[in-house]
Amino acid sequence: MNEDKLYIDEKGGDEPFRFDASVARVFPDMLRRSIPGYAASIEAIGSLAARYVQPGTRCYDLGCSLGAASLAMLQGSRTPDFHIVAVDNSEAMIDRCAEVVAGHDNIELALTDVRDIAIENASMVVLNYTLQFLDPGSRDALIRRICAGLVPGGLLVLSEKVVDENPNIEELLVDLHHEHKRRNDYSQLEISRKRAALENVLIPETVAAHRQRLADAGFAHSAVWLRYFNFVSIVAIK
Ligand code: GEK
């Protein structure tokens, strides 16, 4: 696995973060060291696929990066009779993803914006740490389209970095996250450069705002099933 040294060796934090070729090259290491609970989210996507993927339907991995969630759905599902559409608007990510998922004929890759993909006959949709990168004004419409494209009883997995309503708790959670990154061998300089680069690129919302949006879009049930500091994963059932 290529080690993520981007914010020591290549980038200063003055440019907005982009999912370019340098990020795609180190991405598995970056996610593993940066997102508390990332491995648990992928593992659970496999377990959820076993329960929710229905024969003759589609699954969507929106903001698929290198296809980790797609592979988890494929390995977890109990039926071979389904099709995964894995979508990302970063060419560098899709190119590498194609190498990772090569040979899995029921994974179809789409290089496009998640807001432009038709969602139809879906039994499971995954937005694993992707919605946070979309302009907040476009989030309601995407969640509404996902709900409309799910079959009855279909599942959305929505994982996000969140912000707390209480500034004292927010400060604590951010601090714990940075300590977690230091434990994973990121220096203070790397942490502050990355934080600056993500400013206005990753726009977190509260758990309450996410759950309200899901309810407004027509999901019958939603719950946080995983939380590790300011990173959460929510399941929503139509
Ligand atoms: C995983 N889900 O390993 N349209 C399409 N893709 C987008 C858009 C957009 N508008 N905005 C961002 N992306 C993965 C991890 S990473 C999370 C997801 C992170 C893509 C972007 O190119 C990147 O590949 C992905 O969403 C977010 O489970 O880096 O924190």
Side-chain angles (χ1 to χ4, degrees):
M1 195 188 291
N2 295 322
E3 201 182 336
D4 172 20
K5 293 186 167 182
L6 290 183
Y7 284 89
I8 320 176
D9 291 348
E10 294 180 37
K11 296 176 191 273
D14 34 358
E15 294 271 308
F17 184 83
R18 289 193 314 114
F19 290 96
D20 59 17
S22 65
V23 170
R25 191 174 52 78
V26 301
F27 199 63
D29 185 59
M30 177 182 281
L31 288 192
R32 185 182 62 79
R33 289 163 65 209
S34 308
I35 302 187
Y38 174 75
S41 73
I42 294 296
E43 202 182 299
I45 285 166
S47 304
L48 290 165
R51 289 165 175 76
Y52 283 92
V53 175
Q54 298 178 29
T57 63
R58 294 181 186 176
C59 293
Y60 290 82
D61 181 2
L62 302 179
C64 61
S65 303
L66 305 188
S70 293
L71 291 174
M73 285 193 277
L74 199 59
Q75 281 150 16
S77 73
R78 297 211 173 108
T79 170
D81 176 24
F82 78 110
H83 184 82
I84 298 176
V85 184
V87 184
D88 207 291
N89 66 352
S90 156
E91 197 168 354
M93 288 293 184
I94 287 286
D95 285 351
R96 282 186 94 86
C97 188
E99 293 167 19
V100 174
V101 305
H104 295 293
D105 294 339
N106 47 351
I107 302 182
E108 173 196 332
L109 299 184
L111 172 60
T112 187
D113 195 295
V114 294
R115 289 163 290 198
D116 294 334
I117 193 98
I119 300 185
E120 289 159 347
N121 187 31
S123 55
M124 183 165 172
V125 177
V126 173
L127 272 169
N128 213 33
Y129 309 103
T130 300
L131 193 70
Q132 59 196 15
F133 292 107
L134 267 54
D135 155 32
S138 65
R139 295 179 188 181
D140 290 1
L142 175 63
I143 297 295
R144 269 201 308 274
R145 279 202 311 106
I146 291 172
C147 192
L150 279 165
V151 298
L155 180 82
L156 168 65
V157 179
L158 171 66
S159 308
E160 289 276 292
K161 185 175 192 184
V162 294
V163 64
D164 206 277
E165 292 89 347
N166 177 326
N168 296 301
I169 299 296
E170 174 61 12
E171 194 184 333
L172 170 66
L173 294 173
V174 168
D175 199 43
L176 287 168
H177 178 221
H178 289 175
E179 188 182 315
H180 177 90
K181 289 183 86 169
R182 283 195 297 275
R183 265 201 310 277
N184 283 334
D185 293 322
Y186 284 116
S187 66
Q188 194 54 50
L189 180 64
E190 287 173 282
I191 293 170
S192 49
R193 282 177 166 175
K194 178 84 175 281
R195 191 177 193 193
L198 283 172
E199 189 82 38
N200 302 322
V201 174
L202 189 171
I203 301 169
E205 295 175 278
T206 61
V207 170
H210 283 298
R211 293 195 61 209
Q212 187 63 53
R213 176 180 292 121
L214 292 164
D216 292 346
F219 283 95
H221 314 281
S222 79
V224 172
W225 72 272
L226 172 75
R227 173 157 200 153
Y228 196 154
F229 304 147
N230 41 2
F231 291 81
V232 305
S233 188
I234 296 171
V235 284
I237 302 165
K238 182 168 173 177

